[in-house]
Amino acid sequence: MDISRWVFLILILIFVSFTPIPIFSDSQLSSGELPEIPGKFLDFAKKSEVFDWMMGVRRRIHENPELGYEELETSKLIREELDNLGIQYKYPFANTGIVGFIGSGKPPFVAIRADMDALPMQEMVDWEQSRNPGKMHACGHDAHVAMLLGAAKILLEHQNILKGTVALVFQPAEEGGGGAKKMIDAGALENVEAIFGLHVHPNFPLGKVCSRPGPFLAGSGFFEAVISGRGGHAAIPQHSIDPILAASNVIVSLQHLVSREADPLDSQVVTVAKFQGGGAFNVIPDSVTIGGTFRAFSKESFLQLRQRIEEVIVGQAAVQRCNATVDFLTNNKPFFPPTVNDINLHKHFQRVAGDMLGNDHVKDMEPLMGSEDFAFYQEVIPGYFYMLGMQGETNENPASVHSPYFKINEAALPFGAALQASLAIRYLLEAQPQVPSSSINGHDEL
């Protein structure tokens, strides 16, 4: 054999050795093979080269946190990674948002989503620091982005079994800015028939997930009221109209909205968390500003609360001879509807997550009064939102989200990436006509 033939054979061996072998060699899967997908996707996501890449992406995003609609560098990083993977995308949506596409580009379409923005707070974690003073990824959005890119990598490696199209939704401004609504208005959900989203949960064990069908997270809104009277000397209050007294009565009366007007079986919250007025011990101020939040699990209860909050503030201020104006801040902080999980997608989630983690690691949980702008997507198409555990065995009391001490357990990255990819691909595959295992194996019976 001449030397040129030896060189040719060696090159062939090298090519075969470094060519990725798909987990599933046949693009036509049988129904019996579908349960194998999540576990094999998780194995792929745990490979050192995939895990290290996701970890590096997360850390780069964490070092450079950006607030809602200002995620310019974060968006640029995501686009660069999509370019490196060879994934097509559309940009921009809602200033900095991106939608990538994997698959045929034809129906059916299913979406998986990550939020990108950080919070306006100073980080206090010693080993991992934001380079932007007063800004921090304290809600895990850096991990959400890394997981979605990881899911994209998984799906890209297994396009041979992908039927339809997966949309990768990278969304700005979840933290009060209503980025999801602006993504929808810009056409980000065009042709999409279902969407999945997740959130890391620091107090739930690693390798477990939790959610529920129906109402999961509350609808939320904010309010601010200026109560105006007439200032004067504290020693002669009869010459003044005291807005502090009026505001105090307003706050007490607002608590009656839940305790005396709401159905005890319909959870609602009204909290006044802001009270600003006066700057001296002996001066009655001209005005007081109060503000807070209100929450409910149904749209009807939420709108009733909104109406009554304004009526109580204006009415109680008038009792004390004051005037009041109420602002619900919808220009900067739009109302978030309740997050309501689709019942059929809940069953899908239980099947897929159970195949990946085991049914004993998939838990139902009670509704939470927190809110999520993922709910805007659910008002347009069926959607499903769930919590991904990341509490390690040695971390008994992890800091909560929105804490300056919040930390990501990076061991959760493969779980989030693999589960998002599995939920999407199984949704598409289960929408296709299933081929019995016997037909694929050549043992079709007449």
Side-chain angles (χ1 to χ4, degrees):
M1 183 180 293
D2 58 38
I3 191 162
S4 61
R5 193 169 294 180
W6 276 108
V7 171
F8 177 75
L9 287 173
I10 290 169
L11 290 174
I12 289 292
L13 288 171
I14 291 172
F15 176 78
V16 170
S17 299
F18 286 92
T19 300
I21 301 173
I23 292 174
F24 301 95
S25 57
D26 194 333
S27 63
Q28 185 67 55
L29 293 181
S30 71
S31 57
E33 289 177 295
L34 294 182
E36 300 176 15
I37 292 174
K40 291 186 176 181
F41 276 14
L42 180 58
D43 292 340
F44 181 87
K46 286 182 175 180
K47 288 183 176 181
S48 59
E49 62 269 25
V50 180
F51 175 66
D52 291 346
W53 171 71
M54 286 192 290
M55 190 164 56
V57 168
R58 189 205 73 83
R59 292 182 181 183
R60 285 158 59 199
I61 295 172
H62 189 90
E63 290 174 354
N64 189 25
E66 298 170 297
L67 303 183
Y69 301 117
E70 299 174 4
E71 309 96 332
L72 298 174
E73 292 302 314
T74 303
S75 180
K76 180 181 177 183
L77 183 154
I78 293 167
R79 297 196 309 275
E80 288 173 351
E81 293 297 339
L82 293 175
D83 287 334
N84 292 338
L85 292 170
I87 295 174
Q88 294 184 338
Y89 57 84
K90 291 182 181 179
Y91 165 85
F93 291 87
N95 296 354
T96 57
I98 308 158
V99 179
F101 300 95
I102 300 176
S104 66
K106 299 177 181 179
F109 284 75
V110 65
I112 44 181
R113 169 265 202 175
D115 35 18
M116 305 187 294
D117 56 322
L119 286 159
M121 56 192 298
Q122 184 62 43
E123 184 163 17
M124 302 297 288
V125 179
D126 292 333
W127 65 274
E128 183 174 56
Q129 279 289 335
S130 159
R131 293 184 301 178
N132 298 339
K135 300 176 185 178
M136 177 188 175
H137 271 292
C139 202
H141 296 187
D142 50 344
H144 299 168
V145 171
M147 290 172 187
L148 185 51
L149 284 170
K153 192 175 185 70
I154 295 169
L155 292 168
L156 198 64
E157 289 291 329
H158 306 100
Q159 280 196 95
N160 64 310
I161 62 169
L162 187 55
K163 308 293 185 184
T165 307
V166 179
L168 312 167
V169 178
F170 297 91
Q171 175 211 306
E174 187 278 329
E175 297 290 355
K181 188 175 189 307
K182 291 193 176 182
M183 291 287 286
I184 295 166
D185 293 341
L189 292 187
E190 184 179 0
N191 298 320
V192 175
E193 59 184 53
I195 186 168
F196 296 93
L198 62 75
H199 204 294
V200 291
H201 195 316
N203 302 106
F204 204 67
L206 179 69
K208 294 186 178 184
V209 291
C210 54
S211 189
R212 64 178 290 109
F216 182 33
L217 300 171
S220 71
F222 299 92
F223 65 91
E224 186 175 77
V226 177
I227 299 171
S228 302
R230 184 170 67 237
H233 199 292
I236 45 175
Q238 70 274 21
H239 294 162
S240 302
I241 299 175
D242 190 347
I244 289 182
L245 178 61
S248 300
N249 283 327
V250 164
I251 292 170
V252 172
S253 296
L254 287 174
Q255 300 312 302
H256 296 161
L257 296 182
V258 174
S259 66
R260 284 298 174 266
E261 295 187 19
D263 184 338
L265 301 180
D266 180 14
S267 298
Q268 299 176 32
V269 167
V270 177
T271 294
V272 177
K274 174 182 179 180
F275 193 121
Q276 296 174 339
F281 294 113
N282 60 348
V283 177
I284 295 171
D286 284 320
S287 66
V288 167
T289 300
I290 65 171
T293 184
F294 58 106
R295 313 278 171 118
F297 280 108
S298 75
K299 201 164 188 176
E300 294 76 16
S301 298
F302 182 81
L303 294 175
Q304 174 69 9
L305 270 183
R306 181 194 187 285
Q307 176 183 330
R308 291 293 290 135
I309 285 169
E310 184 166 16
E311 290 174 352
V312 166
I313 291 174
V314 173
Q316 283 296 322
V319 169
Q320 303 297 329
R321 301 179 296 152
C322 290
N323 297 316
T325 58
V326 183
D327 184 356
F328 287 97
L329 309 171
T330 51
N331 289 334
N332 297 320
K333 297 179 181 293
F335 294 145
F336 284 13
T339 302
V340 182
N341 281 334
D342 181 84
I343 181 64
N344 292 322
L345 294 184
H346 176 68
K347 295 174 182 176
H348 176 75
F349 169 77
Q350 287 184 311
R351 289 193 303 270
V352 175
D355 289 340
M356 176 182 289
L357 306 171
N359 292 331
D360 58 331
H361 284 57
V362 182
K363 304 293 185 182
D364 278 356
M365 67 182 297
E366 293 300 311
L368 302 174
M369 294 308 296
S371 62
E372 225 317 323
D373 84 343
F374 186 84
F376 285 111
Y377 300 122
Q378 294 173 315
E379 287 198 317
V380 180
I381 59 174
Y384 195 82
F385 195 76
Y386 63 95
M387 300 293 178
L388 179 76
M390 67 169 192
Q391 182 180 7
E393 294 181 359
T394 59
N395 191 7
E396 296 182 359
N397 296 298
S400 67
V401 294
H402 291 217
S403 162
Y405 298 99
F406 175 79
K407 292 186 288 187
I408 287 288
N409 180 0
E410 291 176 321
L413 296 178
F415 291 94
L419 187 48
Q420 286 289 76
S422 299
L423 287 166
I425 202 166
R426 283 273 296 268
Y427 180 91
L428 294 177
L429 290 173
E430 290 172 14
Q432 307 293 322
Q434 295 300 309
V435 178
S437 301
S438 58
S439 297
I440 291 181
N441 295 332
H443 300 299
D444 203 10
E445 299 285 342
L446 292 177

